Amino acid sequence: MTAPLLQVQNLQVAFNGQPVVHGIDFSIAAGEKLALVGESGSGKTVSALSLLRLVHNAEVSGSALLAGRDLLQMSEHQLRGVRGDEVAVIFQEPMTALNPLYTVGDQIAEVLQLKKGLTAGQARSATVELLASTGIPEPARRAGAYPHQLSGGQRQRAMIAMALASNPKLLLADEPTTALDVSLRGQILDLLADLQRQHGMAVLLITHDLNLVRRFADRVAVMERGHLVEQGGVAEVFASPQHAYTRMLLTSKPGRDVVEAPAEAGEPVLQARGLRVSYPVPLPGLRGWFKKGDFVAVQGADLDIPPGRTLGVIGESGSGKSTLALAALGLLPHGGSLRVSGTDWSDAQKTGQSRALRQRIQVVFQDPFSSLSPRMTVEQIVGEGLLVHEPGLSSAQRRERVVIALADVGLVDDPRHGGDWLQRYPHEFSGGQRQRLAIARALIVGPQLLVLDEPTSALDVTVQKQVLALLQRLQRERGLSYLLITHDVDVIAAMAHEVVVMKDGALLEQGSVERVLQHPQHPYTQALVRAAA
């Protein structure tokens, strides 16, 4: 048998003497695809990036033999020759990994000039060829674009092109599809698989998405709290997992536990008729000096959300989902009719009643870490809405309501003993706990409708299941209605009563969750459902 391309033995990583990775062993053969799987905090990203000593202040020991040379014994100068040349990295969020001050073409060309010694002209031509190989439309034009001018899928393709610029032997792909829609995830996975076959490189895929592992990898290694608890062939591990943690991950698909047919009660909580949202955009040429064009983000939408029901809105990035959510929250000007609890947003804003309407509709955002102020305590964050909508409450009454809200979302077992949570800050909580804080902040003012904007996409599968179970319980107990914005078909299947499929601002298909997901009519819906299978 030939020696593996990468042989890792007894890898240990610590920070300030505190171990976070405890002596793990794994190997990757040339041309093989290995998935490193686990929840956030399991040590998978730290383990992979420590091989190239890319983790600041990490204390790394053990051995990592790349084609017989120990990466952990190399000097910084020697590692510079390995990074990006023999071992390349695709980082999780391309928007933060790419430099916003340089075009994507310049950033790829820099790698080619440094690693391959190409001239500026040769690097420009090679950059366009690399971008074309990743399937970006109009690669020559995209090479001159800045990261913010590309979509999420295009930015990820640009990152892949940069990683492949010097034909690496090993590619470290750190959650390369987490921020992408379900259809784009499939495209990026297929692209990586094609490029891997063409270049014959090995891939170490770091992910918590087991569907990706099943579809992409040859072997899987499972990490829990810094320990490698199980590894083997994908089919073997998925069919008969040996470790309890692996079994828990495999059974973490969200379950459906909603009231299927609540009693009809009055008018819809949210009703839209002919809803239209547009943005002014510059026109090309001289015309753009004198007038603006019109980009229609949502066109002619008709929606109804009855009390106690969930309407799921699914579609790719740019389909108009988030614009629809912002319009429902009264944060965007719109055409047509949009009513919350029988009151039209336009009328409420004209008559000064919008504050009362905002109490009835609240929002939970995608990323709880960025939506919670890092300078405010839990008491200030959760109680802020009470200052606006119930200013007559005393500090003691407001604090009591905050503790009750924390108990409602499962952060406090007993409201009588929840005061010690109040002075903590968001960074002291896990991702799932932060999302529960965001839900408590929305619920404390007693809304009828929650807008859930990708509420679980930033969470691990086990935490996602817990948060969805919480939302289902709150809906049953309080009769809440949800406008659920997501690109995850599994979340729609678990939560929604009705589904709307959006593309390019238009509603392509809508109906009951069973009908739309089991018998989709539109080709676009069929493609979304296939991509999630």
Side-chain angles (χ1 to χ4, degrees):
M1 294 180 62
T2 58
L5 173 67
L6 177 69
Q7 178 78 52
V8 176
Q9 293 182 321
N10 195 31
L11 177 66
Q12 301 180 58
V13 184
F15 295 93
N16 295 321
Q18 181 67 37
V20 295
V21 176
H22 307 272
I24 66 172
D25 301 331
F26 65 89
S27 64
I28 308 175
E32 185 181 35
K33 294 172 287 188
L34 172 67
L36 199 56
V37 176
E39 298 174 278
S40 294
S42 62
K44 53 188 190 300
T45 296
V46 166
S47 298
L49 298 185
S50 292
L51 300 177
L52 296 176
R53 297 217 291 276
L54 293 176
V55 183
H56 186 60
N57 288 335
E59 302 155 10
V60 186
S61 62
S63 68
L65 300 179
L66 178 71
R69 296 165 298 153
D70 194 346
L71 296 173
L72 304 185
Q73 300 301 319
M74 288 184 178
S75 66
E76 179 63 25
H77 178 73
Q78 291 172 318
L79 272 177
R80 286 177 192 166
V82 173
R83 295 175 187 146
D85 194 358
E86 297 181 63
V87 183
V89 183
I90 300 173
F91 294 100
Q92 179 170 357
E93 177 45 70
M95 192 61 187
T96 56
L98 293 169
N99 192 322
L101 302 180
Y102 292 90
T103 66
V104 294
D106 286 342
Q107 295 180 63
I108 297 170
E110 181 183 29
V111 177
L112 292 166
Q113 289 178 273
L114 288 174
K115 298 294 183 180
K116 296 298 183 184
L118 301 186
T119 65
Q122 291 171 331
R124 279 195 297 272
S125 299
T127 294
V128 174
E129 291 177 10
L130 278 168
L131 288 172
S133 72
T134 66
I136 285 186
E138 301 178 273
R141 186 166 73 87
R142 302 299 182 192
Y146 291 88
H148 73 274
Q149 296 174 307
L150 302 180
S151 69
Q154 289 170 343
R155 284 194 292 267
Q156 197 62 283
R157 289 171 188 267
M159 281 287 297
I160 292 171
M162 188 184 304
L164 298 180
S166 55
N167 295 320
K169 299 175 183 176
L170 173 63
L171 179 66
L172 306 182
D174 185 9
E175 301 276 12
T177 62
T178 296
L180 304 179
D181 300 320
V182 62
S183 55
L184 282 177
R185 289 182 188 184
Q187 295 172 22
I188 295 297
L189 274 189
D190 292 341
L191 171 64
L192 281 175
D194 288 343
L195 294 173
Q196 183 261 342
R197 284 192 295 269
Q198 292 173 22
H199 296 272
M201 64 183 174
V203 178
L204 177 59
L205 174 68
I206 303 160
T207 184
H208 63 253
D209 190 329
L210 298 177
N211 284 330
L212 295 189
V213 175
R214 183 183 284 110
R215 179 172 174 176
F216 180 80
D218 302 315
R219 290 192 302 116
V220 59
V222 182
M223 288 194 70
E224 179 190 20
R225 297 181 181 179
H227 296 274
L228 200 57
V229 297
E230 185 167 357
Q231 59 179 312
V234 168
E236 170 195 344
V237 171
F238 278 49
S240 55
Q242 302 300 305
H243 197 276
Y245 180 72
T246 311
R247 291 194 291 272
M248 183 195 69
L249 289 179
L250 291 171
T251 57
S252 291
K253 186 174 181 177
R256 185 174 179 84
D257 185 17
V258 298
V259 178
E260 296 296 340
E264 295 297 332
E267 61 190 342
V269 177
L270 179 73
Q271 184 179 68
R273 292 292 181 267
L275 178 65
R276 185 180 189 274
V277 182
S278 61
Y279 298 99
V281 293
L283 292 172
L286 290 175
R287 289 186 303 161
W289 292 13
F290 305 103
K291 62 180 295 186
K292 296 287 186 182
D294 201 28
F295 172 74
V296 181
V298 177
Q299 43 188 308
D302 293 340
L303 303 170
D304 288 287
I305 306 180
R309 305 278 284 184
T310 299
L311 175 66
V313 183
I314 191 167
E316 298 176 329
S317 294
S319 62
K321 307 189 303 293
S322 293
T323 300
L324 175 64
L326 292 173
L329 289 163
L331 299 177
L332 288 177
H334 62 269
S337 171
L338 183 59
R339 304 173 72 84
V340 176
S341 299
T343 304
D344 193 283
W345 263 118
S346 299
D347 294 340
Q349 290 165 344
K350 289 175 185 175
T351 58
Q353 297 177 346
S354 58
R355 177 178 292 186
L357 206 57
R358 293 188 192 284
Q359 186 172 5
R360 301 176 196 168
I361 178 170
Q362 292 288 304
V363 61
V364 177
F365 293 103
Q366 177 174 359
D367 183 358
F369 193 68
S370 60
S371 67
L372 302 176
S373 172
R375 295 182 175 88
M376 294 173 68
T377 64
V378 166
E379 181 177 5
Q380 293 169 329
I381 289 170
V382 178
E384 187 176 23
L386 295 177
L387 292 173
V388 176
H389 296 291
E390 299 185 45
L393 293 177
S394 67
S395 296
Q397 290 172 321
R398 195 163 53 248
R399 183 175 296 113
E400 182 182 2
R401 291 274 296 274
V402 169
V403 175
I404 292 172
L406 296 179
D408 287 342
V409 298
L411 284 174
V412 173
D413 294 330
D414 186 345
R416 295 171 298 179
H417 304 100
D420 59 333
W421 284 70
L422 298 181
Q423 302 310 311
R424 298 186 188 180
Y425 290 86
H427 72 270
E428 299 179 70
F429 298 92
S430 68
Q433 289 173 326
R434 285 195 289 264
Q435 197 61 295
R436 289 173 186 264
L437 285 175
I439 295 170
R441 176 178 62 177
L443 290 178
I444 198 168
V445 297
Q448 297 171 297
L449 173 65
L450 285 188
V451 176
L452 306 172
D453 187 7
E454 300 278 9
T456 60
S457 67
L459 305 176
D460 296 319
V461 287
T462 52
V463 180
Q464 179 187 90
K465 185 176 181 179
Q466 295 167 15
V467 171
L468 291 180
L470 167 65
L471 290 169
Q472 291 166 348
R473 175 176 64 80
L474 292 170
Q475 184 175 58
R476 290 194 305 273
E477 294 175 355
R478 301 187 179 205
L480 290 168
S481 299
Y482 295 144
L483 176 61
L484 174 62
I485 310 294
T486 185
H487 60 250
D488 193 326
V489 174
D490 286 340
V491 173
I492 289 286
M495 290 286 297
H497 297 91
E498 304 286 321
V499 184
V500 168
V501 182
M502 291 190 72
K503 182 175 173 59
D504 299 329
L507 274 59
L508 300 184
E509 187 169 355
Q510 58 188 117
S512 70
V513 65
E514 295 84 2
R515 205 277 298 162
V516 173
L517 296 188
Q518 295 176 15
H519 306 287
Q521 302 299 308
H522 196 279
Y524 177 73
T525 311
Q526 294 168 359
L528 283 179
V529 174
R530 280 197 307 270

